[in-house]
């Protein structure tokens, strides 16, 4: 008889860890007709017992699905960037925000390593807070090394799934180890020569934190937008949406003049 589970971890030997609605955990394999790359952490699925093991027989419909990080059914994407070591990459941040919104999930910006802030990075901090809160994105700043009330500061909603994403070395695993009070989660320092983080998390994993769920994901050094058509890109920028363009299919980048380009020109002068 089939029962519903949520995938919480993909193991390196093509097995999967899943939990049912009562919190019982199972290690399962995929049914032969299911492709290995068609299942993600966060997926809901049907499983059944087959002799002395468990088999995932069907992947249920998703609310969303991300390729990078490879997660599904996410409510919030927590976009982590450190105020220092490594320095914030706003181009990367904007790409993550666009991708998150394109998947009907809500982005949250989490500025980490606030204990390393100095005069130069304070200017960047003020810019991030001012720019992104103005367009309705929640921005939180923490120091995982100094603060003990991280869970309270993040303000997780009951039953919601929060995926932590960001480049290597920004402190995702450190934060999650604090949330879980689990010192066994591997963390690492930033390489001194390159000022880049080392990859610590190797696999995507979903954890239960209080009444919410948290997904830790591997870090990355590059990031590209996939699956978004050029003409729909503008739909994921709140600044553009507030201004009604006279051309319905305008990308605000052509030679022709439009309302958005006019506003940009006014602000630039």
């Amino acid at each position: 008889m089939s029962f519903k589970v949520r995938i919480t971890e993909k193991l390196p030997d093509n097995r999967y860890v899943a939990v049912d609605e009562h919190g019982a955990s199972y290690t399962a394999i995929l049914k032969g007709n299911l492709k290995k790359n068609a299942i993600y952490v966060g997926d809901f699925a049907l499983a059944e017992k087959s002799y002395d093991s468990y088999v995932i027989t069907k992947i249920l419909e998703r609310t969303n699905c991300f390729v990078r990080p490879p997660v599904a059914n996410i409510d919030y994407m927590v976009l982590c960037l450190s105020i220092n070591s490594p320095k914030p990459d706003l181009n990367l941040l904007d790409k993550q925000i666009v991708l998150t919104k394109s998947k009907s999930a809500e982005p949250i910006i989490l500025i980490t390593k606030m204990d390393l802030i100095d005069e130069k990075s304070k200017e960047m901090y003020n810019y991030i807070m001012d720019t992104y809160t103005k367009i309705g994105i929640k921005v939180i700043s923490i120091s995982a090394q100094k603060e003990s009330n991280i869970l309270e500061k993040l303000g997780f909603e009951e039953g919601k799934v929060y995926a932590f994403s960001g480049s290597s070395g920004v402190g995702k695993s450190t934060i999650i180890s604090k949330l879980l009070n689990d010192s066994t989660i591997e963390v690492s320092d930033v390489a001194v020569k390159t000022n880049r983080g080392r990859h610590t998390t190797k696999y995507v994993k979903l954890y239960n934190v209080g009444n919410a769920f948290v997904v830790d994901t591997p870090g990355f050094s590059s990031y590209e937008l996939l699956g978004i058509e050029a003409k729909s890109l503008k739909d994921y920028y709140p600044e553009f949406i507030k201004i009604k363009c006279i051309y319905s299919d305008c990308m605000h980048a052509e030679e022709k003049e439009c309302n958005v380009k006019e506003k940009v020109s006014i602000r630039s002068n």
Side-chain angles (χ1 to χ4, degrees), residues 91-121:
N91 183 46
L92 172 63
L93 177 62
D94 288 343
K95 288 182 180 181
Q96 291 178 291
I97 290 172
V98 166
L99 184 62
T100 300
K101 286 184 171 292
S102 75
K103 300 293 185 179
S104 299
E106 279 298 313
I108 297 174
I109 298 174
L110 180 61
I111 305 174
T112 66
K113 302 187 182 182
M114 287 299 292
D115 51 301
L116 300 181
I117 195 168
D118 53 25
E119 285 302 315
K120 190 173 181 179
S121 55

Side-chain angles (χ1 to χ4, degrees), residues 14-59:
N14 292 320
R15 293 182 302 149
Y16 298 84
V17 180
V19 296
D20 64 18
E21 59 184 357
H22 304 294
S25 181
Y26 306 86
T27 300
I29 59 173
L30 290 183
K31 191 175 180 179
N33 63 343
L34 293 178
K35 296 180 180 179
K36 294 181 177 63
N37 61 356
I39 185 168
Y40 293 88
V41 167
D43 266 328
F44 288 103
L46 294 181
E48 59 184 39
K49 189 169 185 179
S50 177
Y51 299 102
D52 58 347
S53 60
Y54 291 91
V55 179
I56 297 166
T57 59
K58 183 179 181 180
I59 309 302

